[in-house]
Amino acid sequence: MSEPVLAATLGEPAAVRRRLPHAVSFVAIAAIFVMFMAASSAPSPLYIVYQQAWHFSATTLTAVFAVYVLGLIASLLVLGALSDHIGRRPVLASAVALEAVALVLFFVAGDVSVLFLARLVQGVATGAATTTLAAALVDLNPPHRPGRAGVVNGVAPVGGLAVGALGCGALVEFAPAPTHLVFALLLAGMVLAGLIVVTMPETSARRPGGIRSLVPRLGVPARLRPDFFALIPIMVASWSLGGLYLSLGPSVAAGVFGLTNHFVGGLVVTLLCATGALTTFVLRSRPAGQVLRAAAPLLVAGLVLTLAAMATGSIALGIVGTIVAGIGFGAAALAIFGTMGRISAPSERGELFAVAYVVSYLAFSVPAVAAGLAATSFGLRPTAIVYAGVLVLVAAAASVIGQVRARR
């Protein structure tokens, strides 16, 4: 639907119909997507700072991480389809406003209870923004570049995680007010994002069913269950790896490898996520099945190298292991959602992707919390070694399943 017709459909006055051009809006929405994900990973290098200042355990640290994921999952399930009914701009504007509230809470946080609240609010905001930003990119996709929205949707989330962790690590190490400056900058970015949302074109006409869309619906059609269940091991292995790095990565760098520099702590997360984003971009045109068969062996290889690095204390081996695991991480993300898109009909994708996100984010958070509990009782190094060892087994199982299904 063209913008003037859509504007008329939505009942907007003529003066308000002068919006940003679609090409500019596409770039702006991509930037907002990166910024949301950067804000979500920015606290990772700060966890160890908060821990030292407020003297809480590794269990509390990972619980702060997990409460974000719980808010995000709830938001995805409840608000994921809302923008299809009331429009992209209202949902995005609300998500931006809620993210700004979370950033203010981070800025004023003086104890761990406020940190919990900030992460919960941030999770809800990020969940509401994620599906809406992804849909807006598809709506605004340039006609002469039909695959551009797909590439951006694949690269922006992981790339944003990398940017947030690295940028925050640098600010914590080299700039003043480590627990305040990063959130002040992100808050300024959210103000700019709000102005962009106000001036961007609405790309989805309103339609009835908004209230009904708030009722979570999860289900996998019977004909898709064999293919979907076969993807679960690689989902669990890759997302659990991401959860380990974003929750305990900087702590492992400091406690296991003696790298106490906060910039290096952020770089640990960035190394995994940036490698994953680059891999997603490079492999974007490869068949999903081919990428999927390569993802699990790469995860196994990267995890084995990382495991050896933690056992020996070798920093160089840890870097190589993280890079190889990052390649597997990016390949897995691309292949998982590419495979689901290939096997499902358009009418099945909403619920199927919702189930996939729930499985993925549970794998992202639950093992990380278990690792935090274990680290408090048994120490960081043995916990990280056992965690990586279990992921090796899960990724190996995913590799075997992939090879068996490929032969069939």
Side-chain angles (χ1 to χ4, degrees):
M1 187 180 294
S2 66
E3 184 180 341
V5 174
L6 183 57
T9 302
L10 298 176
E12 293 184 355
V16 181
R17 295 176 201 163
R18 295 173 183 172
R19 302 287 184 188
L20 290 174
H22 276 220
V24 175
S25 297
F26 182 89
V27 174
I29 289 296
I32 293 173
F33 206 160
V34 170
M35 185 164 57
F36 259 95
M37 301 312 295
S40 73
S41 67
S44 290
L46 282 170
Y47 285 147
I48 193 169
V49 177
Y50 290 129
Q51 191 176 25
Q52 291 168 351
W54 299 335
H55 308 291
F56 55 80
S57 67
T59 301
T60 302
L61 186 154
T62 49
V64 171
F65 168 78
V67 77
Y68 160 81
V69 179
L70 292 176
L72 190 148
I73 291 173
S75 182
L76 282 171
L77 291 176
V78 175
L79 304 176
L82 185 60
S83 72
D84 291 336
H85 298 274
I86 69 172
R88 312 290 185 219
R89 289 172 58 228
V91 177
L92 277 181
S94 300
V96 168
L98 200 57
E99 180 71 23
V101 171
L103 293 171
V104 170
L105 288 171
F106 277 119
F107 189 87
V108 302
D111 56 52
V112 74
S113 62
V114 180
L115 198 58
F116 268 106
L117 180 60
R119 278 303 261 174
L120 178 62
V121 173
Q122 188 178 49
V124 174
T126 305
T130 298
T131 53
T132 310
L133 288 165
L137 285 169
V138 175
D139 297 341
L140 295 165
N141 192 85
H144 62 287
R145 299 286 186 185
R148 182 169 290 179
V151 174
V152 174
N153 275 325
V155 173
V158 185
L161 293 175
V163 169
L166 185 65
C168 183
L171 290 174
V172 171
E173 184 64 31
F174 304 118
T179 59
H180 293 85
L181 180 58
V182 63
F183 299 116
L185 294 174
L186 286 169
L187 184 59
M190 283 298 157
V191 171
L192 179 59
L195 294 175
I196 290 170
V197 171
V198 167
T199 55
M200 68 175 277
E202 178 56 78
T203 58
S204 179
R206 294 185 181 181
R207 61 186 179 91
I211 299 298
R212 288 195 303 274
S213 75
L214 300 178
V215 179
R217 291 186 302 171
L218 288 177
V220 179
R223 71 179 189 86
L224 301 180
R225 286 171 190 166
D227 290 310
F228 179 79
F229 292 152
L231 291 172
I232 288 179
I234 191 69
M235 281 189 210
V236 171
S238 58
W239 284 77
S240 296
L241 176 68
L244 174 66
Y245 271 76
L246 264 78
S247 61
L248 291 177
S251 298
V252 170
V256 175
F257 296 103
L259 302 173
T260 56
N261 184 293
H262 296 296
F263 177 72
V264 175
L267 189 60
V268 169
V269 179
T270 300
L271 198 58
L272 181 82
C273 294
T275 304
L278 183 60
T279 301
T280 300
F281 180 78
V282 170
L283 299 180
R284 66 192 183 281
S285 59
R286 295 295 183 98
Q290 184 184 81
V291 177
L292 185 62
R293 286 192 294 275
L298 284 166
L299 279 174
V300 171
L303 284 163
V304 167
L305 290 170
T306 305
L307 191 60
M310 288 188 289
T312 62
S314 171
I315 296 173
L317 197 57
I319 292 172
V320 174
T322 298
I323 291 173
V324 175
I327 295 171
F329 180 61
L334 178 65
I336 288 165
F337 290 100
T339 299
M340 289 193 299
R342 176 179 58 80
I343 65 176
S344 60
S347 60
E348 299 169 325
R349 286 174 191 156
E351 288 186 54
L352 182 66
F353 275 57
V355 175
Y357 274 121
V358 170
V359 172
S360 298
Y361 279 112
L362 285 174
F364 195 61
S365 57
V366 174
V369 173
L373 288 167
T376 301
S377 301
F378 305 108
L380 193 57
R381 182 192 291 270
T383 297
I385 290 174
V386 171
Y387 192 117
V390 171
L391 290 188
V392 168
L393 297 177
V394 177
S399 181
V400 171
I401 290 171
Q403 295 300 324
V404 170
R405 292 186 66 80
R407 290 193 190 101
R408 290 178 179 175

